[in-house]
Amino acid sequence: MQKKTSLLALGGLMGVAALNAQAQSTVQIYGIVDAAVRHTNNQGPAGSPNGKLTELIGGGMSQSRWGINVTEDIGGGLKAIANLENRFATDTGGVSTPFFQQSWVGLQSSSYGRITMGRQYNVLFDLVTSTYASYPYSPYFEAYKPEIGFALGARADNMVKYMAEFGSFRGAVQVSAGEKAATGGKTAGGYLRWAQGGLAAGVGYQNYEFGSGRKIEAWTLGGSYRVGPWYFNTGYGQNKVDSGLTQIDRAVLAAFWGGGANGGFGGPAFLAADKRDIVKLGVGYQITPQLNLGAHLFHAKQSGTTAAADAKSNFVTAAADYAFSKRTDAYVEVDATRLKGNVSLNGVSGTANGARSRNGFTIGLRHRF
């Protein structure tokens, strides 16, 4: 009997060992710590916009963050995956709201793609940053990013997203439940991307349903080309909004469209618009394995049912990035904003201050782990 019991126990231990060998789990902690000094003009409050501002910011090239990636091989070409990511400001230690900017769990198959559930990047952001990003080594410049103002917040809550790759093609679809929130939140969208050699191109669509049931629709398309040390990219984006938005709807829309880093629009025409378009054109050159240069031009316009909503803007930015190692780099960036029409820039307080132009200069240091 004792011999039988010992054999059964040994068999059980071997079974557990076999399961552990089959279901191997890895946990990765990663992050970026980025800090920069930024100087801008025409940054004063409403009524006195001509002031200058020099500040330490908690993210110049990238927004600072830390996160946890989890992967478990559960056999048969299937993996369980999960991610938690928090964003913070290096200068103050303050954290973004919500605390986790990404929080999702999913399954990934070697043959059938992957499905993820939770708060995560939307399809617009995925397409632009993977296919025609402004900088190949950093999708965009965090402190000055007019292109992200067209991505409907870049992330969405309560999302289910499916992504699959077949040869040179990658496609994804997303849906989000609004869950009867006053601010809305129901979304649907997808993208299709093609990449081969140094060429990449794609098109994407996503909508967002406000609490009133009215919607904003967003389109984007573009491409990039890499040849030797050169990198070229171009893209187009459009946001179109239903009429009759409520006050709560417009507050959500302002969060999508506003912000100093996204162009800083304010003034009477800001939310009178029901359509916005942007065109981007950029070039990068890698002088040495350590030194990268890049320059980008963005032209945007907005329109509405009345001429008062019409406005145009031009954004120009250029950056030099020097890598001390694979994980640490330093950068210098300059930018200029010019507005036309019944719109103005945001001041220190975040309200329109009447300025029609702004120049900026940023120098910073970034470490990735």
Side-chain angles (χ1 to χ4, degrees):
M1 176 65 85
Q2 286 181 348
K3 197 177 279 187
K4 261 188 180 178
T5 305
S6 298
L7 286 170
L8 286 170
L10 180 60
L13 288 171
M14 290 175 67
V16 170
L19 284 173
N20 286 337
Q22 183 182 26
Q24 293 182 356
S25 179
T26 60
V27 179
Q28 175 198 30
I29 297 176
Y30 68 91
I32 297 175
V33 183
D34 189 321
V37 175
R38 180 162 170 81
H39 176 81
T40 50
N41 67 353
N42 293 344
Q43 193 74 48
S48 182
N50 295 326
K52 297 179 180 179
L53 178 65
T54 300
E55 57 186 332
L56 182 67
I57 57 176
M61 180 62 75
S62 300
Q63 188 175 3
S64 297
R65 70 198 76 169
W66 68 272
I68 301 171
N69 273 325
V70 180
T71 304
E72 182 187 23
D73 188 343
I74 54 181
L78 198 62
K79 293 181 180 180
I81 52 177
N83 175 261
L84 294 172
E85 184 177 280
N86 166 258
R87 301 292 178 107
F88 63 92
T90 308
D91 54 333
T92 65
V95 297
S96 299
T97 303
F99 185 85
F100 285 118
Q101 289 291 299
Q102 290 199 86
S103 54
W104 52 260
V105 64
L107 292 173
Q108 180 171 300
S109 166
S110 57
S111 302
Y112 302 106
R114 75 181 208 172
I115 185 167
T116 50
M117 300 178 292
R119 177 174 171 83
Q120 52 194 307
Y121 288 121
N122 65 29
V123 292
L124 301 172
F125 185 89
D126 283 348
L127 177 63
V128 173
T129 56
S130 67
T131 310
Y132 39 102
S134 295
Y135 298 92
Y137 54 88
S138 182
Y140 52 88
F141 191 79
E142 169 65 23
Y144 191 82
K145 50 183 182 183
E147 67 269 48
I148 303 302
F150 287 74
L152 303 188
R155 306 173 188 87
D157 297 338
N158 309 310
M159 185 199 297
V160 178
K161 180 166 62 175
Y162 172 73
M163 185 273 287
E165 291 190 74
F166 302 97
S168 300
F169 290 92
R170 179 194 299 168
V173 292
Q174 75 168 70
V175 292
S176 301
E179 302 187 357
K180 297 184 178 180
T183 54
K186 188 176 180 180
T187 74
Y191 73 79
L192 182 64
R193 174 185 186 268
W194 172 87
Q196 189 171 354
L199 282 169
V203 59
Y205 165 83
Q206 189 210 312
N207 62 32
Y208 179 99
E209 186 174 300
F210 298 103
S212 67
R214 292 169 176 81
K215 292 182 179 181
I216 177 172
E217 296 184 305
W219 289 91
T220 183
L221 60 90
S224 62
Y225 178 54
R226 298 189 193 203
V227 54
W230 291 95
Y231 172 73
F232 304 93
N233 67 90
T234 184
Y236 167 78
Q238 183 189 91
N239 284 186
K240 194 171 183 180
V241 189
D242 289 343
S243 60
L245 299 185
T246 67
Q247 187 174 356
I248 294 176
D249 296 344
R250 291 195 175 278
V252 175
L253 182 63
F256 286 160
W257 283 358
N262 296 339
F265 279 112
F270 172 49
L271 291 179
D274 56 23
K275 182 181 176 184
R276 277 188 167 184
D277 299 88
I278 189 170
V279 177
K280 57 171 279 187
L281 184 65
V283 60
Y285 186 77
Q286 188 171 14
I287 297 178
T288 71
Q290 292 78 34
L291 181 60
N292 279 279
L293 302 180
H296 304 279
L297 169 66
F298 306 90
H299 174 72
K301 65 177 182 179
Q302 66 176 43
S303 59
T305 55
T306 64
D310 296 347
K312 295 180 180 180
S313 58
N314 290 305
F315 310 97
V316 180
T317 177
D321 182 274
Y322 183 81
F324 295 109
S325 68
K326 290 183 178 180
R327 298 182 180 274
T328 303
D329 58 328
Y331 54 85
V332 176
E333 180 268 353
V334 293
D335 53 78
T337 302
R338 300 292 183 268
L339 305 180
K340 294 181 179 180
N342 198 19
V343 288
S344 59
L345 288 160
N346 291 353
V348 178
S349 63
T351 59
N353 68 359
R356 296 295 190 85
S357 66
R358 177 170 296 154
N359 299 322
F361 173 83
T362 310
I363 181 169
L365 182 67
R366 175 176 65 168
H367 178 77
R368 289 163 284 188
F369 61 88

